[in-house]
Amino acid sequence: QQQISDALKGIGTVRSLYKDGHGTHVAGIAAADGAPASCCHTPATYVGVAPKADLVIVRVGSDPETGTEVGENTRIVEGLDFIFNQSPASGTPTVVNISLGDNLGPHDGTSEVERAIDAFIFGFGARAVVVAAGNFARTDKDGLPTRCHVRGAVPGNRDLEVEFEVREGNDENAFLDLWYDRAGTLNIEVIAHGGATSGTVHHGLDHSFIANPTADPKRRSRVFIDGTANGNFNRDNNFRITIVKPQSGNLPHGPWKFKLTNPNAAPVNFHCWIDRGDDIHEPIFLPPVDPPDGKIRASSDSTLGVPSTAAEAITVANHASRTSCCNCWPSHDIVASSSRGPVARNAAANPKPDIAAPDLEITSAKADAANLRGNCCDCCPDACCCLYQDLTGTSQAAPHVAGAIALMLQKNRRLTRLQILQHLQATARPAPAGGTRETWGAGKLNVKDAVDAVAAPVAPGGGGGGGPTVYPPFDLDGKIANRKPFSPFPAKPAVAEVASVRFEPGGDPLSTAIRLLRARLNAFPHGQELAAVISR
């Protein structure tokens, strides 16, 4: 903080090689004070939702051990730990905004990052993690729905083909992530454009082949198929297909397909996602048709990104609040790109998204707008017209919710995640007619009503008191319901259950035992305070 303050006074500099500006724009929506004016607007025009909040900024780089996969990026876990347990703000009411995500992973809340979110939130008060739902239900240039997800079922003792296109000009690795019923068995064959084939790769096994064997050696692209069966955390089975860019040139473009074979009598359900990349060049599945032609076609459901399927996260979809900077044709519908639910497994216990917030053409701070040498306005940045910019995406929707939660925690520092979510959902404006739970969550964020619904904490007094204000769970109609929040940690596990979890393969027995102990304490008065002591 002192370094930044000194730099603003002209004493020293703060340099960063990261100049994308995505994080700056997101942070501005949540908490900017709007101090700089622009050519057309006075100061305090573009103000964040919670402008008096303190900011803890963590830049999450790539993880050399896990590559670019967001759900398994241990740097994000370390960032969460820093914010909640090590930063100067640790121990104070905190809401974390994660405007990141991709399509790699089971989409059921069991990725490394999602399990960490659950562990950091479950059993604690005055904490929340808000995650952008993702922009994977987007429309392409032809106005067709998403082309990055398919779902279907392979009938017993049958096979089924899924076609996709590797588009021209793709100079990055391409990833397809196939997940199918844990109790089922599927074999796979990948057929590249031109006819090169992997042959049959059996359930749970790995293989690789050259997609274009007749090409110049430097232009050959290798395809890796990695199979996982009966994985950790009761996950579904998985085949990940990686098409590796050649030394020179682009991926071999054209129509590709993979064939799934079911050797058993029972049908096997599956999902397959193409990971995000260059939107113009990343592979795409076949477009939807009306009426269906019997082929497996792209669908917009179950397009939530990872880590937005974490059970304890508050997942945010995005709706329109205007259509352009001039707002000539206002719209208040869901934005076509906003990712849809449900999660791939256990959707009833983990309904996502939770709520929708504005994201279309949101104005916020622009990084590196004027203050670095060589920029057109570095001589007089305060009079510059380019200190702000408009961006669109669930990345911009999520910080609206994060800022709202900061205001709620300012009013009552003892709110739990469940109470926060209940207030957000109970006060949300309803979705337009025809809007579904899987698209909108509970409806449109209403910041004022959500904050007004928060009761001030009970003041300490004679005979004890001073505990958190507890609101019983309720559904969207306001009816009392004996629902329990979904969590992988049972509140009162039996001794046998503790033993089975302690020695889970690949798990950490000590941390698992501590989490279980913390979860048990929540059943007692002042349990959260005791749990916090254990955590520290």
Side-chain angles (χ1 to χ4, degrees), residues 154-176:
V154 184
N157 300 310
R158 297 278 299 277
D159 56 48
L160 184 149
E161 291 185 347
V162 177
E163 301 176 36
F164 63 98
E165 178 187 357
V166 176
R167 290 187 279 186
E168 187 175 1
N170 193 333
D171 61 355
E172 301 178 353
N173 294 347
F175 301 89
L176 288 84

Side-chain angles (χ1 to χ4, degrees), residues 183-417:
T185 298
L186 288 179
N187 305 323
I188 191 171
E189 178 186 8
V190 178
I191 301 99
H193 176 63
T197 175
S198 64
T200 299
V201 182
H202 290 277
H203 170 77
L205 299 182
D206 305 333
H207 186 65
S208 70
F209 72 103
I210 301 297
N212 50 346
T214 62
D216 181 274
K218 290 186 178 180
R219 292 183 176 273
R220 292 176 185 170
S221 179
R222 181 167 288 275
V223 180
F224 290 90
I225 303 169
D226 299 301
T228 302
N230 300 319
N232 290 334
F233 317 118
N234 199 38
R235 288 174 179 161
D236 281 344
N237 302 314
N238 173 233
F239 278 116
R240 179 167 296 176
I241 303 167
T242 305
I243 309 173
V244 179
K245 64 181 181 180
Q247 286 181 273
S248 177
N250 303 319
L251 299 183
H253 65 274
W256 291 50
K257 62 183 176 181
F258 58 83
K259 182 170 70 174
L260 302 174
T261 301
N262 181 358
N264 300 318
V268 177
N269 299 301
F270 70 89
H271 290 268
C272 186
W273 293 270
I274 294 173
D275 189 34
R276 65 182 302 173
D278 183 336
D279 289 347
I280 300 175
H281 299 117
E282 66 189 19
I284 51 176
F285 292 115
L286 294 178
V289 295
D290 188 18
D293 59 3
K295 293 185 177 181
I296 297 297
R297 297 277 177 167
S299 67
S300 59
D301 62 346
S302 297
T303 50
L304 296 165
V306 177
S308 74
T309 55
E312 296 294 324
I314 295 176
T315 303
V316 185
N318 48 314
H319 70 79
S321 55
R322 58 179 183 170
T323 56
S324 67
C325 60
C326 298
N327 200 26
C328 297
W329 298 278
S331 172
H332 301 282
D333 202 351
I334 200 74
V335 174
S337 61
S338 181
S339 291
R340 271 70 160 168
V343 301
R345 292 190 308 138
N346 300 323
N350 184 19
K352 298 293 180 182
D354 294 297
I355 198 167
D359 90 305
L360 186 61
E361 299 286 351
I362 301 299
T363 303
S364 184
K366 182 179 181 181
D368 191 22
N371 295 310
L372 293 183
R373 293 182 184 277
N375 284 18
C376 63
C377 300
D378 69 332
C379 57
C380 50
D382 290 340
C384 179
C385 294
C386 56
L387 294 177
Y388 301 94
Q389 63 177 334
D390 296 342
L391 293 177
T392 294
T394 51
S395 287
Q396 281 61 49
H400 283 88
V401 176
I405 294 172
L407 296 177
M408 296 165 72
L409 290 173
Q410 181 182 24
K411 188 172 180 181
N412 186 337
R413 299 165 62 92
R414 296 175 175 177
L415 291 178
T416 66
R417 179 262 182 195

